[in-house]
Amino acid sequence: MKKNSMKKAFLAVMGSEKRQNITIPLLEVLLGLIAGTIIFLILGKNPIEAFAAFLQGCGLFPKENYAGGRGMFTDFLSYLDNWTPMIFAALAVAVAFKAGLFNIGVSGQMLLSGFIATITVGYSPLPAVVAKPLVILIGVVVGALLGGLIGYLKHRFNINEVVSAIMINYILQYLLSFFILSFYTNPITRQSNVVSDASRLTLQDVMIGDYKTVIPLGFLLALVAVAVMHYFINFTKFGYELKAVGFNGRASRYAGINVRRTIMKAMMTSGALAGLAGVTYYLGYLGSIQPRVLADLGYDSIAVSLLGNANPIGIVFSSFLITVISKGSTYMSSAVSVDQEIGSVITGLMLLFAACGAFVRYKLHMARVSVEEEAREAGKAGKGGDEK
Amino acid sequence: MTMNESAAGTPIIEMRHITKRFPGIVANDDISLSINKGEIFALLGENGAGKSTLMSILFGMYEPDAGEIYIRGEKVRISSPNQATKLNIGMVHQHFKLVSNFTVTENIVLGLEPKKRLGGILPVVDIKGTDGKIAALSEKYGLEVDPRAKIEDLTVSVQQRVEILKMLYREAEIMIFDEPTAMLTPQEIESLLGVIRSLRDAGKTIILITHKLEEIKQVADRCAVLCRGKLVATCDVAATSTHQMAYMMVGREVSNEMEKEPPHFGREVLQVEHLTVKNANGFPVVKDVSFSIREGEIFAVAGVSGNGQDELADAIAGMADAAAGTIRLDGEDITRASVRQRNEAGMAYIPADRQNTGMIMDFTLAENLLLKSYYRPPYCVRGRLHREAFGRKSQELIGAYDIRSGQGADTVVRSMSGGNQQKAIVARELDQQGKLTIFVQPTRGLDIGAIENIHRQILAERAKGRAILLISLELDEVMKLADTIGVIFSGQLLKTAPVQNLTVNQVGNYMMGVTT
């Protein structure tokens, strides 16, 4: 009896099966935060202070004091600047995921589109009205072509997309480093030369009131992309075919869907979104490219996409959260003096719990069944009593 | 018979008040059974009646939620198949548990490998020494199995005898057979029933799970009838008619007779000429097959499972490429046409594997009902799907074909019963009003009521003048529905003839590749 009342309480909190799409990820996040709290306690730090520092680092909670010309708003806009490519990258993973594909090559697609946009437009004297749209266009086209290549290798030669994407990532990482180091390096920063302000997707050093801020233009585009992808996945023929192929390739073929073409389309869409992540990252947030490394963001986006159920709306929330932890970890590290990597540990823990989502769902289903059965039996007994 | 009488009254197995629940269903509801030593006890019931669950409990694959099991008068708790084996219980599953690239002996000793020491030191598995033991067992029970043959070279019926040998080797006294005749030809069924009788005469206790009344009538001594998880009755087979058993099993009257109108054949709709289909390894699995189907004709392909039926259907439907030959629909060459082009040309296809081919299990019922027409107006206009149109069409089909589900059109198909999934596929395909409808094993796994329903629908399509290709492993079904029968063996159409010119035994012979 007592066991079942626990189950009932659990069910009541988690809500109907539809609402569980929201409550289960929330539970996962909560468990991740609890685990993070335990880690801070073990390290002998105040967890509340630590979590507040994450928020402070992202301009979501006021710091005690700010340097001149900077304020909470400065931090917040800088946070948005960082959040933008994460949204695109996670959408890229999600679209491929819907079609049953794993686009692990997001960081490679980001790097190539960022690099090509940098050397063509970034170092050109083009005016802003031409340069900015051109950068975006290059991001989309280069990303789509690279994603399409992975899709082509898959459907033409049946090469697993994970393997080809990893290989392509390596090739790009070293090949582009060679070009950057040979031709485009700034000897002081040891990064590629910073792109022109006209081509940059984030407006630098804008004064708002007394604060010096940045304006990430790409952020609006990211929100538009979320809405567009939500529409495509849920309300169009393309989305229907994408999901059909993702769930069951054989049945899709039976239905007359051109599975190969659908795989190509999915990978090209995914690549285009990754390309947008690339240009908003390298020509927006950073302004330059660090040679020899791939952006962590490209890999983190896989996690973000999982946590957001590969759902565009869900991704807005999960990318918000994960970016808070990754971006905020720098400030948190100095504020409570622990290693910055603790941020990654917490992200990792949340993912671990996110991977348990299906298990939680199953447990809830079983709990519901047993509660319903008891209710039915109680109902029967009640009726029997009345008749007597 | 004397064996039976002498053993009467000494129950070897007693199951008392067994209850087993699965999410949303009570598979076994307070079932009590007592089975005597040395009898053939049949467990009769429709699919989903709880037969297999009950026997899985006896074999230790599930533990009951309530109830007790007594073996030879002793209360036991059977928590694993290994424990069941220790209690001398063996089971032949519907899908054999054999390693296909191992020999018969290797399969039989698997898990109980006889060991010897090479040169007195090195422990090795003694396969050779066991071959003789297995040959002897095989001879004793007339099983005719070569211990050194590899499983993949054996026919289904020989593989089944390997499973029987496996039980004998493990000294099983109680042998459970789960739907043993499902994959066999009539001749093979005869010989299997003979083997089962000889096992009984040797003092073994046999439990036969089946939904085929004829077999029970032929071999069983007693029979328990299950219906929706409850035990309806336990009866003496000799004293009960098949009609009574069918009534208990279904819970209502079943008419075995079905009105089949005299045929009215029209012009030829499907023409298949010299069709050859190769499998993924490049081996021809359909070889030079030619036949044609006219309007209003049911052309049934009979054959033992795995003789190229699935590939034949896939090639005609466009899911597999034809290596040679031509396929014409209504005179039009469709050999190279895509699946969608064939659909639009009027071909409907109800595939054998309804869960992996016919449906997308994670889609809703509405999405599955529109799987072949989602891209056309009114369901899709300029790339945008119209959910209202989906809903309207689904409601229409759900009503017309009596498809039952938890949340109507929005139910995820995975949560629906097999029978209702099949109804949904049939609804979708028949609704296309095609010229040709391909049915592959349309009644597999369905209960008597649902089978009857599907047969009626097939005959109704025939009456409307559609051409029908029926591919079935159930010979009864073929004989009952077909106008013309083609028997397929090893990818070749060995015999094509009107149904009235063939007897069941002739068809059975052709199914085994005997052409004389």
Side-chain angles (χ1 to χ4, degrees):
Chain A
M1 246 0 235
K2 203 186 163 213
K3 211 173 151 199
N4 258 3
S5 60
M6 285 277 290
K7 280 183 189 166
K8 270 183 205 163
F10 187 36
L11 275 174
V13 171
M14 298 306 282
S16 68
E17 260 165 53
K18 221 166 198 174
R19 238 185 66 197
Q20 285 170 15
N21 284 333
I22 298 166
T23 52
I24 290 177
L26 282 181
L27 180 73
E28 290 159 4
V29 168
L30 189 70
L31 290 173
L33 293 179
I34 291 172
T37 305
I38 293 169
I39 288 174
F40 283 120
L41 287 174
I42 291 171
L43 292 172
K45 308 290 174 190
N46 180 348
I48 297 172
E49 220 173 274
F51 284 119
F54 279 114
L55 295 175
Q56 287 167 330
C58 299
L60 298 163
F61 194 72
K63 293 176 188 168
E64 273 165 33
N65 49 51
Y66 287 92
R70 293 178 61 86
M72 195 172 128
F73 196 52
T74 319
D75 288 340
F76 179 67
L77 282 170
S78 164
Y79 166 75
L80 286 190
D81 202 10
N82 195 188
W83 184 17
T84 304
M86 182 60 105
I87 295 175
F88 283 122
L91 284 177
V93 175
V95 168
F97 200 67
K98 286 283 177 198
L101 300 163
F102 198 40
N103 185 3
I104 203 169
V106 169
S107 41
Q109 291 142 27
M110 283 172 65
L111 183 61
L112 186 68
S113 48
F115 175 76
I116 291 183
T118 298
I119 60 168
T120 52
V121 186
Y123 298 153
S124 77
L126 289 170
V129 275
V130 185
K132 288 191 208 306
L134 206 54
V135 165
I136 289 167
L137 187 70
I138 288 172
V140 169
V141 171
V142 172
L145 288 177
L146 191 53
L149 173 67
I150 296 170
Y152 178 77
L153 292 174
K154 168 130 186 144
H155 93 62
R156 183 73 183 78
F157 303 106
N158 200 19
I159 298 174
N160 187 307
E161 77 278 8
V162 173
V163 176
S164 61
I166 291 176
M167 296 303 162
I168 289 172
N169 275 0
Y170 274 120
I171 295 169
L172 289 174
Q173 182 183 346
Y174 292 107
L175 193 69
L176 299 186
S177 294
F178 164 77
F179 283 115
I180 292 169
L181 292 171
S182 310
F183 306 109
Y184 308 109
T185 315
N186 180 320
I188 298 159
T189 61
R190 304 232 172 170
Q191 311 228 341
S192 66
N193 293 311
V194 174
V195 296
S196 71
D197 278 346
S199 65
R200 199 149 173 188
L201 298 178
T202 303
L203 304 179
Q204 300 294 310
D205 303 335
V206 180
M207 295 300 290
I208 298 182
D210 290 335
Y211 300 126
K212 199 178 188 183
T213 60
V214 293
I215 308 278
L217 299 175
F219 183 67
L220 288 177
L221 198 62
L223 293 184
V224 171
V226 167
V228 168
M229 290 324 297
H230 177 72
Y231 173 76
F232 266 107
I233 290 171
N234 294 304
F235 299 103
T236 66
K237 182 180 138 202
F238 172 60
Y240 180 95
E241 292 179 345
L242 204 68
K243 285 183 283 185
V245 169
F247 281 131
N248 185 338
R250 186 170 160 81
S252 302
R253 238 155 51 72
Y254 164 79
I257 294 171
N258 189 330
V259 174
R260 295 178 159 188
R261 198 190 298 157
T262 308
I263 285 177
M264 277 300 283
K265 277 189 198 165
M267 278 313 293
M268 287 183 77
T269 311
S270 176
L273 288 162
L276 284 170
V279 291
T280 50
Y281 187 66
Y282 293 114
L283 288 93
Y285 181 59
L286 295 177
S288 64
I289 302 173
Q290 186 187 354
R292 289 203 202 92
V293 288
L294 288 170
D296 282 342
L297 189 143
Y299 292 106
D300 288 348
S301 65
I302 295 167
V304 169
S305 188
L306 271 178
L307 191 61
N309 262 337
N311 171 326
I313 310 291
I315 279 171
V316 174
F317 294 98
S318 62
S319 60
F320 177 86
L321 181 75
I322 300 290
T323 311
V324 165
I325 295 171
S326 65
K327 167 98 174 148
S329 63
T330 320
Y331 181 73
M332 183 279 302
S333 147
S334 64
V336 291
S337 66
V338 294
D339 288 331
Q340 197 176 328
E341 281 69 25
I342 292 297
S344 308
V345 172
I346 295 173
T347 313
L349 285 167
M350 277 182 192
L351 286 173
L352 198 63
F353 290 113
C356 303
F359 176 71
V360 175
R361 210 172 284 266
Y362 170 76
K363 276 285 173 198
L364 281 169
H365 181 73
M366 293 304 286
R368 184 184 306 275
V369 168
S370 90
V371 167
E372 274 171 8
E373 212 152 83
E374 190 186 286
R376 217 177 306 132
E377 261 157 39
K380 262 189 216 161
K383 252 186 208 163
D386 288 347
E387 276 163 14
K388 275 174 202 170
Chain B
M1 225 43 216
T2 49
M3 199 68 168
N4 204 18
E5 275 158 24
S6 70
T10 53
I12 187 165
I13 306 165
E14 270 189 274
M15 299 181 90
R16 292 187 194 159
H17 308 292
I18 300 289
T19 297
K20 176 73 190 173
R21 289 192 191 86
F22 291 112
I25 185 170
V26 184
N28 290 150
D29 191 354
D30 193 21
I31 292 180
S32 298
L33 278 183
S34 150
I35 299 170
N36 296 331
K37 182 167 165 47
E39 72 172 338
I40 299 180
F41 190 90
L43 215 48
L44 177 67
E46 296 191 294
N47 284 287
K51 303 170 298 214
S52 292
T53 308
L54 189 65
M55 286 304 110
S56 298
I57 289 172
L58 184 58
F59 193 57
M61 281 155 39
Y62 296 126
E63 286 199 64
D65 297 333
E68 293 162 347
I69 301 173
Y70 294 81
I71 304 283
R72 295 178 199 92
E74 259 174 71
K75 186 174 169 181
V76 290
R77 194 172 148 263
I78 310 173
S79 57
S80 75
N82 281 339
Q83 218 167 343
T85 308
K86 278 193 200 121
L87 291 165
N88 303 93
I89 303 173
M91 183 161 180
V92 178
H93 298 268
Q94 203 171 349
H95 301 282
F96 307 145
K97 317 274 182 198
L98 297 171
V99 182
S100 62
N101 54 355
F102 272 20
T103 67
V104 169
T105 304
E106 283 169 332
N107 266 287
I108 290 173
V109 302
L110 200 61
L112 297 169
E113 296 84 353
K115 297 200 182 71
K116 67 173 183 188
R117 288 190 181 269
L118 200 65
I121 321 160
L122 217 58
V124 290
V125 177
D126 180 19
I127 294 292
K128 272 208 186 116
T130 322
D131 280 346
K133 196 177 165 190
I134 292 190
L137 268 179
S138 165
E139 196 160 329
K140 185 175 167 195
Y141 292 95
L143 295 175
E144 295 170 34
V145 175
D146 172 12
R148 275 172 290 271
K150 266 195 184 172
I151 294 297
E152 58 198 0
D153 301 329
L154 301 177
T155 65
V156 177
S157 78
V158 181
Q159 289 184 13
Q160 190 172 46
R161 280 180 263 147
V162 174
E163 286 280 9
I164 296 173
L165 271 176
K166 199 153 97 182
M167 293 194 296
L168 290 169
Y169 182 79
R170 276 146 218 251
E171 291 164 359
E173 290 298 320
I174 300 162
M175 299 183 166
I176 308 168
F177 290 85
D178 189 356
E179 303 275 1
T181 59
M183 313 266 272
L184 306 181
T185 62
Q187 287 86 344
E188 289 171 337
I189 292 174
E190 269 312 310
S191 93
L192 174 70
L193 297 182
V195 168
I196 289 179
R197 272 192 214 101
S198 71
L199 288 169
R200 189 250 328 257
D201 294 343
K204 311 281 184 195
T205 306
I206 313 283
I207 304 174
L208 195 62
I209 306 176
T210 185
H211 61 263
K212 292 182 181 164
L213 301 162
E214 288 306 321
E215 289 161 13
I216 292 180
K217 204 67 190 160
Q218 276 188 50
V219 296
D221 300 309
R222 289 194 307 143
C223 150
V225 186
L226 297 189
C227 183
R228 293 193 194 122
K230 290 202 172 74
L231 180 67
V232 182
T234 307
C235 51
D236 209 351
V237 171
T240 317
S241 73
T242 49
H243 194 75
Q244 285 168 310
M245 285 194 259
Y247 181 79
M248 287 189 281
M249 174 163 94
V250 187
R252 61 179 171 80
E253 282 293 327
V254 254
S255 62
N256 231 335
E257 293 309 305
M258 203 165 280
E259 289 292 305
K260 191 176 163 193
E261 291 166 32
H264 298 286
F265 299 144
R267 67 206 156 77
E268 287 191 348
V269 175
L270 180 77
Q271 292 159 311
V272 175
E273 282 159 19
H274 306 294
L275 179 67
T276 296
V277 184
K278 290 181 177 170
N279 68 6
N281 302 326
F283 282 114
V285 280
V286 175
K287 299 166 197 158
D288 196 24
V289 165
S290 300
F291 65 94
S292 65
I293 310 178
R294 289 161 287 179
E295 286 174 328
E297 178 180 16
I298 299 178
F299 184 95
V301 175
V304 178
S305 170
N307 275 287
Q309 293 100 320
D310 292 350
E311 290 84 359
L312 176 65
D314 274 357
I316 294 172
M319 303 269 295
D321 291 332
T326 52
I327 304 165
R328 281 199 200 89
L329 185 65
D330 240 1
E332 198 108 9
D333 188 343
I334 56 160
T335 317
R336 301 267 162 264
S338 72
V339 174
R340 181 156 292 169
Q341 282 165 337
R342 293 178 208 220
N343 284 340
E344 288 176 348
M347 188 187 288
Y349 178 25
I350 291 145
D353 188 347
R354 66 184 73 116
Q355 304 198 326
N356 284 317
T357 309
M359 292 231 150
I360 294 176
M361 301 292 275
D362 298 288
F363 268 11
T364 64
L365 178 55
E367 285 169 324
N368 271 298
L369 286 172
L370 276 302
L371 200 57
K372 293 257 180 98
S373 39
Y374 71 91
Y375 61 93
R376 281 199 296 250
Y379 315 112
C380 175
V381 181
R382 270 177 261 110
R384 192 190 197 302
L385 297 183
H386 284 257
R387 294 282 166 193
E388 317 81 60
F390 269 65
R392 241 177 290 127
K393 185 72 199 178
S394 321
Q395 286 312 329
E396 181 196 321
L397 291 177
I398 288 170
Y401 291 85
D402 187 30
I403 305 166
R404 295 191 198 155
S405 59
Q407 289 129 36
D410 295 328
T411 314
V412 173
V413 164
R414 191 178 287 288
S415 70
M416 288 167 51
S417 73
N420 279 299
Q421 289 172 359
Q422 183 72 340
K423 274 190 205 167
I425 296 179
V426 169
R428 179 184 68 213
E429 298 303 313
L430 295 190
D431 185 61
Q432 294 177 44
Q433 315 278 333
K435 296 168 195 148
L436 170 75
T437 308
I438 306 171
F439 289 88
V440 185
Q441 294 196 56
T443 57
R444 187 181 59 177
L446 302 186
D447 60 44
I448 289 193
I451 290 174
E452 220 180 273
N453 192 21
I454 300 244
H455 286 175
R456 260 180 234 294
Q457 279 164 334
I458 294 176
L459 288 177
E461 289 297 297
R462 170 178 176 264
K464 284 185 206 160
R466 309 251 152 79
I468 291 159
L469 173 61
L470 170 68
I471 299 181
S472 177
L473 304 177
E474 301 281 344
L475 195 45
D476 293 346
E477 184 168 83
V478 168
M479 297 303 291
K480 185 168 156 192
L481 297 174
D483 294 307
T484 311
I485 294 182
V487 187
I488 196 167
F489 174 76
S490 181
Q492 283 171 305
L493 220 44
L494 279 193
K495 177 78 180 176
T496 308
V499 66
Q500 58 271 21
N501 299 356
L502 289 166
T503 65
V504 175
N505 278 328
Q506 281 173 318
V507 176
N509 277 331
Y510 286 119
M511 282 162 72
M512 297 305 295
V514 182
T515 46
T516 45

